[in-house]
Amino acid sequence: MKILVCVKQVPERESRFRLDPSGKGYSDQGINFVLNPYDEYALEEALLIRERLGQVEITALSLGPARVEKIIRRALELGADHGAHILTPESYYLGPGETALQIVKFTRERGFDLLFFGIISEDYMRGQTGPMVAALLQLPFATAVVSETISDDLGLITVERELEAGAREVVELPLPAVLTIQSGINRPRYPRLTDKLRARAQKLEVITGLEPLPPGRCAELLRAFFPPPSPAGTFITGALEEQAEKLIRIIREKTDVL
Amino acid sequence: MNKDIWIIAEHFENRVRPVTSDLVAFARKMGGEVKAVILGHPVKPLAEDVAQKTGCEVTGIDSPGAAVYNSEVYRNLIKKLCERNQPRYLLVPHTPLGWDFAPALAVDLGYSSISAVTDFNPENSTFIRQILNGKLLEELKSPPGCSAVVTVMPGSANPEPDNTRPPGSVKILEFESPPVKTRTIRYLPAKPGTVNLKDAEVIVAAGRGLKVPERIELIRELASLFKRGAVGASRPLCDQGWLPLEHQVGMTGATVSPKLYLACGISGALQHTMGMKNSSLIVAVNTDRKAPILQVAHFCVNTDLSKFIPVLIKNIRKFRG
Ligand SMILES: Cc1cc2nc3c(=O)[nH]c(=O)nc-3n(C[C@H](O)[C@H](O)[C@H](O)COP(=O)(O)OP(=O)(O)OC[C@H]3O[C@@H](n4cnc5c(N)ncnc54)[C@H](O)[C@@H]3O)c2cc1C
């Protein structure tokens, strides 16, 4: 069995942002980039399937500028067998449709049985790439997957999709299939030293040249901006003791819980 | 293509879901003719309900395969409808149902795809959405002359009260079930928990700002000082197993509105605030002065929670005597 895990590099959660000169996105100067947390769950699920079934080959694929090599190596450290990098120019805006198209091109004639994505990436939070890849390849898919089992003949995958407020839905898909993985499905591992050493030395497959997207398929990005200052919120100032006293007073004024 | 805005109504167990009214309100804010589309089997009572409640003209697509949600069925049937009469915008709720089929439907139709929008700017016909967990917003538009599938965050517009307009007309179309590969097997309701967040008067909620699981004790202790106090959590804490799932607040957890919600080390992602923004008094304890939680919090203590909470506990005890 062959599993493709698409991974994305995103800014660390604690990052502080500035706008880039184009005004359309954030500046990546001084930002520490990491593997998208949701993709970490997707990769872990692929690793668990390999442990369960044996004969499984896992490829980690990422699109992006030169800096994304770091997270492809991270995926190798965590246990992926192969790493592939579709290189894009620096500061190049990739919409979900264009990203999906490149991934589809990559998958051609590679015979993947499962294609895994994180449910969203924490930078643009669109959650579109996985389902778009599935639509382009005419493969069945499921989003927000929180558990999976594969049939003995490797023909079917049964998943639980997360719905609202703790409810779930059981869906059955024939392979090949596309899944987007929700956080909490597993507990991602830490790399082993041997894998770290292997990952450092391993050659990545690098692909250059992007397939153009037909016109009208991509929304036009006009600008990025900071949310307006909070309308209501008041800061409770002072030293710790003073802040605590003030807060108690506020709670007593506004509620009857104290 | 015409200028119509179509909204896809959502229903579950024979009831139209309230998010449908949010979507209608959002579409009306955008201007233009708003029509509703609903898929089901039998769909007529549902379609009539939408027409009655929202006053929209409703097209009900009746197909045996649409009795319960199936992404392939939805894509296939909505595509058929769009091929007859192409709308400018197809609005879909950004819910586990909507985000599932919308991007793939956009590919099928050759439309552009915009997800999780929270606002529309009528001056430039642009959509606003959050990026980077709400730290920045972006403004996008579907190119002129191109149709778009847009998913709209629940709660992005204030719905009118039901039945304020004359009921819209209802048209039922019967479509055959398309062949599908994906099978929906069953629905699993949420497991009943022992923690009752809904009845709590005070929720002290913990987020990743806790940094170490030992600090949950601080949160527990603070919550225990109130008569009907409970411990809430953001999703990552439950994902990591620091607290059981039943403590989770937000889109995929509980929706709560206690008298006091104390958000400790929670950044305020939309998926979290959706579940608590109607609390009477919201106080955030957060080291980041710009954390998105401040968009919904009434007060903020801009201090390290590990320093502040012990002092707050001590002072509440002192006050109680
Ligand atoms: C489909 C989907 C559904 C989801 N459903 C939910 C849901 O139901 N509920 C939910 O909560 N999330 C949900 N999420 C996840 C959500 O998007 C966010 O990732 C999550 O809410 C972030 O949790 P957090 O605020 O605890 O962590 P972070 O975003 O990492 O925020 C931590 C905060 O702590 C602050 N902090 C750090 N150190 C300290 C300190 N010492 N003292 C005080 N403050 C400190 C930081 O400034 C920051 O604001 C969902 C996501 C998806 C994709």
Side-chain angles (χ1 to χ4, degrees):
Chain A
M1 170 175 281
K2 285 177 155 188
I3 306 180
L4 177 70
V5 185
C6 293
V7 293
K8 189 173 186 186
Q9 194 184 42
V10 300
E12 204 175 36
R13 275 192 178 140
E14 285 73 24
S15 309
R16 308 258 161 128
F17 297 97
R18 280 179 298 128
L19 294 179
D20 72 359
S22 78
K24 292 188 178 187
Y26 62 92
S27 159
D28 57 12
Q29 296 298 308
I31 298 283
N32 187 27
F33 284 96
V34 296
L35 175 58
N36 176 35
Y38 294 96
D39 301 344
E40 226 170 290
Y41 288 100
L43 176 60
E44 178 66 28
E45 201 59 24
L47 297 170
L48 293 173
I49 292 175
R50 189 175 64 191
E51 283 165 12
R52 230 160 61 206
L53 302 181
Q55 302 283 336
V56 174
E57 218 179 275
I58 301 169
T59 302
L61 168 69
S62 189
L63 264 92
R67 62 171 157 78
V68 313
E69 181 185 335
K70 184 178 139 196
I71 59 126
I72 302 171
R73 295 215 181 270
R74 175 74 186 170
L76 294 173
E77 284 183 358
L78 288 165
D81 300 293
H82 312 288
H85 182 180
I86 303 178
L87 194 63
T88 65
E90 295 294 325
S91 312
Y92 178 77
Y93 175 75
L94 265 172
E98 194 174 5
T99 304
L101 203 62
Q102 316 313 317
I103 294 171
V104 165
K105 191 171 133 200
F106 177 83
T107 61
R108 262 180 225 138
E109 277 150 50
R110 289 182 194 247
F112 291 112
D113 302 281
L114 285 169
L115 286 77
F116 282 7
F117 296 80
I119 178 173
I120 57 166
S121 64
E122 287 217 327
D123 52 357
Y124 290 106
M125 312 180 80
R126 294 183 285 230
Q128 297 186 19
T129 306
M132 282 185 164
V133 167
L136 288 165
L137 290 170
Q138 299 187 356
L139 293 181
F141 70 87
T143 59
V145 170
V146 287
S147 89
E148 52 77 23
T149 44
I150 298 174
S151 65
D152 291 340
D153 66 356
L154 308 183
L156 277 179
I157 187 160
T158 306
V159 306
E160 285 181 24
R161 294 187 60 217
E162 193 177 50
L163 305 176
E164 280 133 332
R168 294 177 176 192
E169 168 182 85
V170 183
V171 179
E172 194 181 87
L173 314 101
L175 298 190
V178 175
L179 304 185
T180 80
I181 306 292
Q182 172 62 303
S183 62
I185 185 174
N186 53 41
R187 301 274 157 77
R189 68 193 65 192
Y190 294 96
R192 293 181 308 189
L193 186 62
T194 48
D195 283 328
K196 278 193 162 180
L197 296 174
R198 175 182 63 91
R200 217 173 288 165
Q202 198 169 331
K203 228 174 130 45
L204 303 184
E205 181 182 349
V206 179
I207 296 125
T208 51
L210 296 178
E211 186 121 320
L213 192 69
R217 301 290 174 89
C218 186
E220 192 186 332
L221 174 64
L222 300 173
R223 63 173 184 133
F225 58 104
F226 286 98
S230 131
T234 311
F235 285 98
I236 300 174
T237 53
L240 287 176
E241 292 283 341
E242 197 185 338
Q243 284 178 312
E245 283 163 19
K246 281 184 185 166
L247 179 55
I248 290 171
R249 218 175 303 138
I250 291 165
I251 294 173
R252 283 183 41 82
E253 258 169 43
K254 312 256 173 203
T255 72
D256 59 4
V257 299
L258 254 185
Chain B
M1 181 179 67
N2 57 44
K3 286 204 154 48
D4 285 357
I5 304 172
W6 292 1
I7 66 113
I8 306 293
E10 189 168 317
H11 60 91
F12 180 68
E13 293 187 332
N14 296 320
R15 294 174 75 139
V16 176
R17 301 196 62 200
V19 72
T20 303
S21 303
D22 287 22
L23 218 55
V24 170
F26 193 94
R28 288 199 169 126
K29 217 165 64 174
M30 291 171 63
E33 184 79 17
V34 181
K35 294 178 180 166
V37 176
I38 187 159
L39 292 81
H41 184 70
V43 82
K44 193 154 175 266
L46 293 165
E48 281 167 352
D49 192 31
V50 175
Q52 180 76 36
K53 280 189 177 134
T54 67
C56 286
E57 179 186 323
V58 181
T59 302
I61 301 182
D62 199 295
S63 179
V68 291
Y69 169 70
N70 177 297
S71 59
E72 291 179 59
V73 173
Y74 266 55
R75 283 161 59 195
N76 185 290
L77 302 183
I78 297 171
K79 183 172 178 220
K80 277 201 182 117
L81 196 67
C82 291
E83 280 166 352
R84 295 182 176 189
N85 193 0
Q86 186 181 349
R88 172 77 170 104
Y89 296 110
L90 200 59
L91 302 191
V92 178
H94 193 78
T95 56
L97 181 148
W99 75 53
D100 194 58
F101 74 84
L105 176 65
V107 169
D108 298 341
L109 288 165
Y111 293 4
S112 68
S113 175
I114 305 179
S115 53
V117 305
T118 54
D119 207 355
F120 181 77
N121 176 354
E123 263 168 55
N124 317 318
S125 299
T126 50
F127 294 94
I128 314 291
R129 60 186 301 279
Q130 293 194 345
I131 61 173
L132 301 160
N133 278 316
K135 287 184 179 172
L136 280 180
L137 303 174
E138 63 178 12
E139 188 168 356
L140 296 142
K141 110 190 248 168
S142 140
C146 300
S147 294
V149 178
V150 180
T151 65
V152 181
M153 270 287 180
S156 298
N158 292 328
E160 293 171 12
D162 288 346
N163 312 322
T164 40
R165 298 185 184 228
S169 63
V170 174
K171 186 170 67 187
I172 304 293
L173 301 174
E174 287 186 12
F175 285 168
E176 264 172 47
S177 298
V180 293
K181 295 180 184 162
T182 317
R183 286 205 311 136
T184 311
I185 308 289
R186 68 179 164 275
Y187 173 79
L188 303 173
K191 293 194 187 87
T194 49
V195 181
N196 194 344
L197 289 181
K198 289 207 197 289
D199 288 339
E201 275 187 3
V202 176
I203 295 179
V204 184
R208 280 179 79 242
L210 240 56
K211 303 260 168 66
V212 288
E214 291 72 35
R215 294 203 176 121
I216 288 176
E217 283 318 312
L218 272 182
I219 303 291
R220 282 216 176 91
E221 196 179 338
L222 180 54
S224 73
L225 296 180
F226 300 93
K227 204 161 63 209
R228 279 160 70 193
V231 172
S234 70
R235 178 170 184 121
L237 259 61
C238 301
D239 285 344
Q240 287 168 312
W242 291 10
L243 278 168
L245 191 66
E246 56 189 337
H247 292 275
Q248 189 173 307
V249 172
M251 170 181 242
T252 45
T255 300
V256 297
S257 48
K259 291 181 178 170
L260 170 63
Y261 191 91
L262 204 60
C264 307
I266 294 180
S267 65
L270 259 183
Q271 294 92 349
H272 185 81
T273 57
M274 270 168 75
M276 47 64 76
K277 65 175 180 215
N278 292 327
S279 308
S280 312
L281 178 64
I282 302 173
V283 179
V285 181
N286 200 307
T287 42
D288 180 2
R289 287 184 75 87
K290 289 189 176 157
I293 188 80
L294 295 184
Q295 298 287 324
V296 298
H298 305 105
F299 293 91
C300 175
V301 180
N302 182 215
T303 306
D304 185 333
L305 66 89
S306 66
K307 301 210 172 73
F308 177 70
I309 294 179
V311 177
L312 182 63
I313 291 172
K314 188 189 76 188
N315 276 273
I316 293 178
R317 287 233 163 87
K318 198 165 74 190
F319 170 80
R320 284 258 162 87

